[in-house]
Amino acid sequence: MTTTTFGYNAVQDRIWMRVHEQDSTVWFTRRMVISIFSTVLPSFEASTPGEQGGASPRARASIEHDLSLHEAAPGQSPPQIRAGHESPGAKSDPQQRLCQKISTQTNSQSVNMTFDTSSGPLIVRLSRKGMHLWFQGLAMVLKQARWNLPEALPEWLQSGVLPPAMQELIRKPLPDNLDDD
């Protein structure tokens, strides 16, 4: 299982991604993030299983995303998305590890991504569920970067990580009499 952490560095004005198993970090410019959402994401959506049902690739990806975030398969632990304060790691020179190109191989089971940097490639292999979590982590840190790229994100990636029932509870106004004994 691959674990990634995303962060934003305001001084560099770049997003970083740390792959814990490889103890390696890669940095993304705004232009590279736009490229991820305009090329990698549509390819991922297009490979979503279930086309025989007639739903569009985006609709299928939306359903798969919801299941990836909120359903645990038998014998598996639920997905974990956590917010916190972490550094990119010791081996994370923004100039040496700047992503120059991304190559992907996507199918109905998995995604292989190769991030080319001047210090060599970083290869990440993810299941479809893992890729949904990866996209969600990138979308979450994108909000922190305040690059205002919402047009690049599909609606299913902007919905948040809480289950719909919890989102409804949070949006519901609190009663006025909470302070009464």
Side-chain angles (χ1 to χ4, degrees), residues 73-134:
Q76 291 185 350
S77 59
Q80 294 184 8
I81 295 180
R82 291 176 270 181
H85 297 284
E86 237 182 272
S87 68
K91 300 177 187 175
S92 65
D93 182 332
Q95 303 312 313
Q96 294 295 311
R97 300 301 296 176
L98 180 64
C99 184
Q100 300 164 340
K101 178 183 169 190
I102 299 174
S103 305
T104 61
Q105 293 176 326
T106 305
N107 62 45
S108 63
Q109 301 294 315
S110 63
V111 177
N112 294 328
M113 295 184 290
T114 302
F115 303 93
D116 290 329
T117 70
S118 60
S119 63
L122 174 64
I123 300 170
V124 177
R125 293 175 177 86
L126 296 169
S127 65
R128 288 199 60 89
K129 180 177 185 167
M131 192 66 191
H132 278 284
L133 297 172
W134 189 89

Side-chain angles (χ1 to χ4, degrees), residues 30-179:
R30 186 181 314 224
R31 188 177 59 158
M32 187 57 69
V33 171
I34 289 170
S35 176
I36 289 169
F37 287 119
S38 64
T39 59
V40 177
L41 184 78
S43 174
F44 179 70
E45 285 179 332
S47 68
T48 305
E51 60 275 355
Q52 62 273 32
S56 70
R58 183 152 284 180
R60 294 191 318 268
S62 177
I63 292 166
E64 186 181 60
H65 187 71
D66 189 50
L67 292 171
S68 294
L69 293 181
H70 304 116
E71 299 285 327
Q76 291 185 350
S77 59
Q80 294 184 8
I81 295 180
R82 291 176 270 181
H85 297 284
E86 237 182 272
S87 68
K91 300 177 187 175
S92 65
D93 182 332
Q95 303 312 313
Q96 294 295 311
R97 300 301 296 176
L98 180 64
C99 184
Q100 300 164 340
K101 178 183 169 190
I102 299 174
S103 305
T104 61
Q105 293 176 326
T106 305
N107 62 45
S108 63
Q109 301 294 315
S110 63
V111 177
N112 294 328
M113 295 184 290
T114 302
F115 303 93
D116 290 329
T117 70
S118 60
S119 63
L122 174 64
I123 300 170
V124 177
R125 293 175 177 86
L126 296 169
S127 65
R128 288 199 60 89
K129 180 177 185 167
M131 192 66 191
H132 278 284
L133 297 172
W134 189 89
F135 276 128
Q136 188 66 51
L138 180 56
M140 289 172 70
V141 82
L142 188 58
K143 289 177 186 175
Q144 182 186 1
R146 295 188 178 131
W147 286 349
N148 297 322
L149 306 177
E151 68 279 353
L153 300 177
E155 188 175 307
W156 58 264
L157 201 47
Q158 297 180 48
S159 62
V161 296
L162 292 176
M166 292 297 290
Q167 290 180 20
E168 185 61 34
L169 284 174
I170 290 172
R171 284 193 296 266
K172 207 177 212 183
L174 293 174
D176 294 331
N177 62 351
L178 282 177
D179 292 332

